[in-house]
Amino acid sequence: MTPSPLLNVRGLDVHYGRFQALFHVAVHVAQGEVVALIGGNSAGKSTLLRAIAALLAPSAGTIVFSGTDLGDLKPHQVVALGVSLVPEGRHVFGSLTVRENLLVGAHSRRARNAIRQSMEEVYELFPILRQRANIMGNELSGGEQQMLAIGRSLMSGPALMMLDEISQGLSPLVIKAVYRTLSAISRTGTAVLLVEQDVRRSVSVADRVYAMVRGRAVCLGVPGSLTEDDLKKACFGFELQGARSSEGERS
């Protein structure tokens, strides 16, 4: 018997007023799995992450995480269950030190019980943050701020980490370092749902790939089965031959 996925999204619709952004989206993520979500601009990728994080209210469908329906929960309750979001643009607190920013991520009850251990794990993943622990957030470089945003998310002790455009505006060297960290995070058993403008890099670390095409999710499958043409079509929002709507997936 196939175990239930850690995250199971079924039939999800999301509207912004009268505009419908997501149409019957279905995706799932297993424990410890890295899933890449690719697609063109305004395809619905960030909207999906925000809906899972309870920052947007779905019009229809269900979002179940670790057996709990997230439909009526508030964002802080979703975080407390083990779901974290690293949003596009980092959003670190410039007037707080690196250490204080990390402590903000440990506001849930279960996270507060492991603050010292979690902070040490973050410092091991990102040694530069240990060195700059007393530096204000607005004094960090873009790469350091991205590391801090990921570290703050890890402080909540997530079972699922969602990351939105983590390489945006970063140098190739920093991007490489950040992706090494993602691999280390997944090896601990934390699942990762990754939205990324660098499609080839995100696919290279993924176990499975979905494409968002005009607000609908298409299951592309495992990276090794994807052609360059598949990736180009996904990025430009064209229909994908051989791919199937995620509504047909079996969870």
Side-chain angles (χ1 to χ4, degrees), residues 73-143:
L73 300 187
K74 303 296 184 185
H76 71 275
Q77 294 172 314
V78 173
V79 171
L81 284 175
V83 179
S84 69
L85 171 64
V86 179
E88 181 181 2
R90 300 156 198 150
H91 300 295
V92 303
F93 296 100
S95 60
L96 299 181
T97 66
V98 166
R99 185 176 184 279
E100 289 167 341
N101 267 277
L102 292 176
L103 289 174
V104 168
H107 58 79
S108 69
R109 181 178 299 177
R110 73 171 188 169
R112 289 197 299 269
N113 293 334
I115 286 178
R116 185 174 299 179
Q117 178 183 342
S118 297
M119 190 167 290
E120 185 60 31
E121 289 172 354
V122 169
Y123 286 156
E124 287 179 6
L125 286 171
F126 299 113
I128 189 64
L129 296 184
R130 188 194 300 273
Q131 298 171 27
R132 300 178 71 76
N134 295 316
I135 300 297
M136 294 297 180
N138 58 11
E139 297 178 27
L140 301 178
S141 69

Side-chain angles (χ1 to χ4, degrees), residues 108-249:
S108 69
R109 181 178 299 177
R110 73 171 188 169
R112 289 197 299 269
N113 293 334
I115 286 178
R116 185 174 299 179
Q117 178 183 342
S118 297
M119 190 167 290
E120 185 60 31
E121 289 172 354
V122 169
Y123 286 156
E124 287 179 6
L125 286 171
F126 299 113
I128 189 64
L129 296 184
R130 188 194 300 273
Q131 298 171 27
R132 300 178 71 76
N134 295 316
I135 300 297
M136 294 297 180
N138 58 11
E139 297 178 27
L140 301 178
S141 69
E144 291 166 348
Q145 288 187 0
Q146 188 60 279
M147 293 174 189
L148 179 55
I150 295 172
R152 184 180 60 196
S153 179
L154 286 170
M155 289 294 294
S156 68
L160 171 66
M161 177 178 284
M162 302 187 295
L163 303 110
D164 196 357
E165 302 289 6
I166 58 170
S167 70
Q168 192 172 63
L170 302 184
S171 71
L173 190 63
V174 173
I175 293 172
K176 190 174 182 179
V178 168
Y179 267 85
R180 280 199 303 269
T181 305
L182 287 190
S183 296
I185 291 169
S186 68
R187 286 196 295 271
T188 69
T190 300
V192 175
L193 182 55
L194 177 64
V195 166
E196 180 59 277
Q197 61 178 347
D198 190 337
V199 171
R200 290 176 183 82
R201 191 176 292 276
S202 64
V203 168
S204 73
V205 300
D207 298 301
R208 286 186 304 111
V209 182
Y210 290 91
M212 294 295 294
V213 181
R214 293 186 289 278
R216 292 173 168 84
V218 177
C219 180
L220 298 186
V222 297
S225 68
L226 302 180
T227 67
E228 188 74 12
D229 192 46
D230 289 332
L231 298 180
K232 287 180 180 178
K233 287 180 177 180
C235 290
F236 289 100
F238 298 129
E239 296 299 333
L240 294 150
Q241 295 294 328
R244 55 196 174 92
S245 166
S246 61
E247 289 183 269
E249 282 191 321

